[in-house]
Amino acid sequence: MARPCGWRSGGGADYQDRVREDLEKNHPDVRIKDRMYLNIGGFNELVASQDLALSAPCWSGVHPLLATIPVVWEHTLPYGLIFAKNPPQEVMRFIMAVGQINETV
């Protein structure tokens, strides 16, 4: 039997709902454990419980006793930029460049 998979409870994100539905339908041995969020305490619990969690690559170095590997599947995880409401000119130029790239993709 597979170990539980950490999950943000409460829905609200279509991409998470699609992954959850896929796991429940096609991998019934996976038990999903709901979590509102993961913080350092949650990562410590993950180490202690020996469970696994779905995670974005940006969390790959968050804890020295956890490893991250990519998952190859059709599901995607959206990303965005977080910045000050009044960003410096350099940041604004970068944001504008990213916007131009997204328009061509």
Side-chain angles (χ1 to χ4, degrees), residues 59-82:
W59 291 107
S60 64
V62 73
H63 197 289
L65 298 177
L66 292 174
T68 301
I69 59 170
V71 178
V72 180
W73 56 16
E74 73 276 2
H75 302 292
T76 59
L77 174 64
Y79 284 90
L81 299 173
I82 298 174

Side-chain angles (χ1 to χ4, degrees), residues 3-46:
R3 301 289 299 186
C5 175
W7 205 261
R8 181 182 155 268
S9 65
D14 290 341
Y15 64 91
Q16 288 179 331
D17 293 340
R18 286 191 297 272
V19 173
R20 181 185 204 113
E21 289 167 6
D22 180 21
L23 291 172
E24 289 174 343
K25 178 181 177 186
N26 299 309
H27 305 280
D29 288 344
V30 173
R31 295 184 329 246
I32 297 174
K33 188 186 293 184
D34 289 326
R35 298 190 79 96
M36 283 304 291
Y37 57 87
L38 276 176
N39 56 19
I40 194 64
F43 288 115
N44 286 333
E45 289 174 26
L46 190 60

